[in-house]
Amino acid sequence: FRSGKYVYKPIMNQTCCPQYTIRCQALHFQTSKSQKKVLKKMLKFLSKGDVSKAGSEEEPMDSHIEDAVVCDFAHKSESRVSQSELTPLSVDHTERVENEDKDTKETKEEVKEQEVESGSLQICADRDTPVPGEPSHSSKVARALPKPGNGSDQSKPPCRKAKDIRKERKLQKLLQKQPCTLEDPQLQGGDQVSLSQNSKSKPNQPKTIEDFIFVSLPDDAPHKLEVRLVPVSFEDPQFKSSFNQSATLFAKYQMAVHKDTPSECGENEFTRFLCDSPLEAENAADGPDCGYGSFHQQYWLDGKIIAVGVIDILPYCVSSVYLYYDPEYSFLSLGVYSALREIAFTRQLHEKAPDLCFYYMGFYIHSCPKMRYKGQYKPSDLLCPETYVWTPIEQCLPLLEHSKYSRFNQDAKAVDEGRIKELGRVRVLHKRTVMPYSVYKKRRKGPSDEASVQQYASLVGQTCSERMLLFRS
């Protein structure tokens, strides 16, 4: 857990609310229905200016450090980072979004039509056939299945369940749909044909995050969203030029959402909290083009920043640190939206850096119901607090229901392979000299400090204790 330049590690079996490190397997991530709704909501807003306040309650990922989470992708950066804009939403895609919403509405209307006096009922198959004198389809009342022996009309087709009728309609709509071609200006003609043929062969394949993000907006779209990846460095021109706007947005968010006072979220606090970092920027030959280090992902809507995701890009993962946004745009569920975009970003980085394939969401806190939302990003794993082995979250949940602190590794003989084995090899910085603890221990005057050094070493492990320096005055 990182806050500015400081890195923390909770003592899991002693804290009141155990915080389990959670990571999402970005390469295998599948969007849920509620997550797709958030993506569609953003597309509707950008393409039509549709402002739907209905989904604002699904904004659990509003901040990510005291609980930890978030962010995005599609970057623009003339300096060190390649960028790409969110392209316009095509007319075909807009129609598909509207049709899917219409299908949901029709299903709800059908359910309403079935509400008659008895509990379970069936709908007659001929209910869609217009009959003189009967009300229209939208106002019809379902006819209950006649009981045997009551002189039912045998000439009419047998009654079927509404569920079967809906399935048949859905199948007919799928068959009527034509395969679509993804229009990307970077694709050549032959590539567009192959994409179209591929869509024919896999009509029922679920949509990915990219299918919602990389679509074309109409030329007359009322809004334009651009997400820029900016290195956290005052030497970077983009970071420096946008600093004041970003810091002002941070203060606005903190005061509105977390009820901070102005003195608690000034520029100095913003810098210390979200700009300072223990990570040093590094560019590796086999790493992503943007390099490794700490970054701000700025969401620019129509020329102004409405959200900023603070992330660390590391050799094996993208780690979410914090998200702050303009409360006026909370109806867009920016916490959820940015987390989905960041998963897509992780997948993009993986193409250049094969080892980078996980999205770290901070901590999962099962003992706090409001903090369980991170488990909705599947597939995800939790880190065993005793053996430090990743365990699928589905296996962890039953254990956490029984006890807020749990060991996830069910192998009773398993131990932490990285545990401290040789305390004497811990590196110590004393009087500007680096030495192993075994040497420092002999030179030390006064009472022994072995207990505190042992505690430190047990928290960081053998490997880190030999890379880090423990300061001793």
Side-chain angles (χ1 to χ4, degrees):
F1 170 68
R2 181 174 79 80
S3 175
K5 290 185 176 180
Y6 294 91
V7 179
Y8 303 87
K9 182 178 181 180
I11 301 178
M12 300 287 283
N13 58 354
Q14 295 182 27
T15 182
C16 62
C17 297
Q19 307 163 57
Y20 298 93
T21 303
I22 182 171
R23 73 177 185 185
C24 174
Q25 299 178 31
L27 304 187
H28 305 290
F29 176 76
Q30 294 292 334
T31 51
S32 66
K33 288 184 179 180
S34 62
Q35 290 161 354
K36 287 180 181 178
K37 285 182 180 179
V38 172
L39 294 170
K40 291 177 183 177
K41 180 165 54 178
M42 176 63 81
L43 290 175
K44 283 185 177 181
F45 172 72
L46 296 176
S47 62
K48 293 183 173 182
D50 182 20
V51 179
S52 174
K53 304 277 185 178
S56 60
E57 72 277 358
E58 50 187 335
E59 185 65 33
M61 297 180 70
D62 58 352
S63 66
H64 320 140
I65 199 159
E66 49 241 53
D67 65 76
V69 206
V70 91
C71 281
D72 142 22
F73 138 150
H75 317 73
K76 203 156 197 177
S77 163
E78 282 93 27
S79 55
R80 297 168 44 190
V81 184
S82 62
Q83 65 185 30
S84 61
E85 294 183 3
L86 184 69
T87 51
L89 175 66
S90 66
V91 176
D92 291 341
H93 188 88
T94 305
E95 292 176 352
R96 289 202 301 276
V97 171
E98 292 175 344
N99 289 338
E100 289 183 28
D101 289 345
K102 196 179 296 180
D103 292 343
T104 304
K105 184 177 180 182
E106 289 176 358
T107 302
K108 290 180 179 178
E109 289 176 350
E110 290 170 4
V111 172
K112 289 179 181 178
E113 290 171 2
Q114 299 174 47
E115 295 175 353
V116 289
E117 352 171 298
S118 59
S120 96
L121 38 118
Q122 295 173 312
I123 308 301
C124 291
D126 64 340
R127 63 195 278 279
D128 294 325
T129 306
V131 178
E134 280 196 8
S136 63
H137 169 74
S138 61
S139 61
K140 280 184 183 178
V141 178
R143 294 193 292 274
L145 182 65
K147 296 180 180 179
N150 287 348
S152 59
D153 190 349
Q154 300 298 325
S155 64
K156 291 185 178 181
C159 292
R160 293 185 297 161
K161 290 185 176 180
K163 182 179 179 181
D164 296 331
I165 295 174
R166 291 197 302 273
K167 283 184 178 179
E168 183 177 319
R169 285 180 182 170
K170 189 172 182 180
L171 179 60
Q172 289 175 349
K173 287 178 182 177
L174 286 173
L175 294 174
Q176 290 171 0
K177 283 185 179 178
Q178 296 298 323
C180 60
T181 302
L182 295 175
E183 297 180 0
D184 190 324
Q186 296 179 354
L187 293 178
Q188 301 300 320
D191 294 329
Q192 291 187 4
V193 172
S194 64
L195 285 170
S196 179
Q197 291 175 343
N198 188 47
S199 63
K200 286 182 181 179
S201 61
K202 299 179 180 179
N204 295 325
Q205 188 171 0
K207 290 183 180 179
T208 64
I209 313 175
E210 292 80 3
D211 292 331
F212 290 98
I213 295 174
F214 300 114
V215 291
S216 298
L217 290 170
D219 294 335
D220 60 348
H223 298 291
K224 178 183 178 182
L225 177 68
E226 178 187 324
V227 185
R228 303 176 185 176
L229 183 69
V230 181
V232 180
S233 169
F234 285 97
E235 296 179 0
D236 182 85
Q238 286 196 67
F239 179 82
K240 189 174 181 179
S241 64
S242 62
F243 176 83
N244 289 337
Q245 186 181 168
S246 186
T248 300
L249 178 61
F250 168 75
K252 183 178 181 180
Y253 171 81
Q254 291 296 122
M255 288 188 287
V257 177
H258 295 293
K259 311 305 178 185
D260 283 3
T261 62
S263 62
E264 293 176 315
C265 50
E267 286 192 3
N268 290 335
E269 288 70 28
F270 170 67
T271 301
R272 185 170 61 249
F273 182 33
L274 297 177
C275 299
D276 291 343
S277 172
L279 303 179
E280 293 187 8
E282 179 182 328
N283 288 88
D286 57 348
D289 294 335
C290 60
Y292 300 118
S294 297
F295 297 83
H296 282 190
Q297 289 186 314
Q298 303 173 340
Y299 289 72
W300 290 77
L301 179 68
D302 303 331
K304 74 170 184 176
I305 302 176
I306 65 165
V308 177
V310 182
I311 63 169
D312 292 335
I313 299 178
L314 303 167
Y316 299 99
C317 69
V318 168
S319 177
S320 177
V321 178
Y322 201 71
L323 172 77
Y324 57 96
Y325 58 84
D326 190 334
E328 293 178 15
Y329 293 90
S330 60
F331 65 90
L332 289 174
S333 301
L334 291 172
V336 177
Y337 179 76
S338 59
L340 295 172
R341 291 289 302 262
E342 186 157 289
I343 291 174
F345 177 46
T346 304
R347 287 149 68 129
Q348 186 196 43
L349 296 180
H350 169 76
E351 295 177 5
K352 181 67 187 294
D355 290 338
L356 202 164
C357 55
F358 296 106
Y359 171 55
Y360 278 52
M361 297 181 282
F363 291 132
Y364 174 83
I365 309 175
H366 192 78
S367 54
C368 179
K370 290 185 178 181
M371 294 303 302
R372 297 181 184 180
Y373 60 85
K374 297 179 188 180
Q376 298 169 6
Y377 294 78
K378 300 177 180 179
S380 292
D381 307 306
L382 297 185
L383 189 65
C384 176
E386 296 182 7
T387 63
Y388 299 97
V389 172
W390 292 102
T391 308
I393 192 170
E394 291 78 11
Q395 297 179 24
C396 304
L397 296 182
L399 299 173
L400 293 175
E401 285 292 333
H402 183 263
S403 173
K404 64 181 182 180
Y405 173 77
S406 296
R407 169 192 169 111
F408 301 140
N409 192 329
Q410 296 303 294
D411 182 357
K413 297 181 179 179
V415 295
D416 172 20
E417 295 298 332
R419 67 190 184 282
I420 190 72
K421 300 180 181 70
E422 297 181 52
L423 190 63
R425 293 174 59 179
V426 172
R427 296 178 73 193
V428 173
L429 176 63
H430 177 59
K431 293 184 178 180
R432 299 183 180 183
T433 303
V434 177
M435 63 188 75
Y437 179 68
S438 57
V439 174
Y440 166 77
K441 185 178 179 180
K442 294 178 181 178
R443 296 182 181 180
R444 176 181 172 82
K445 297 178 181 179
S448 172
D449 65 346
E450 186 167 330
S452 62
V453 175
Q454 179 68 52
Q455 182 185 40
Y456 157 79
S458 65
L459 288 171
V460 303
Q462 187 72 51
T463 301
C464 287
S465 71
E466 295 180 35
R467 293 178 178 173
M468 300 164 60
L469 296 178
L470 175 62
F471 175 74
R472 302 279 91 176
S473 60

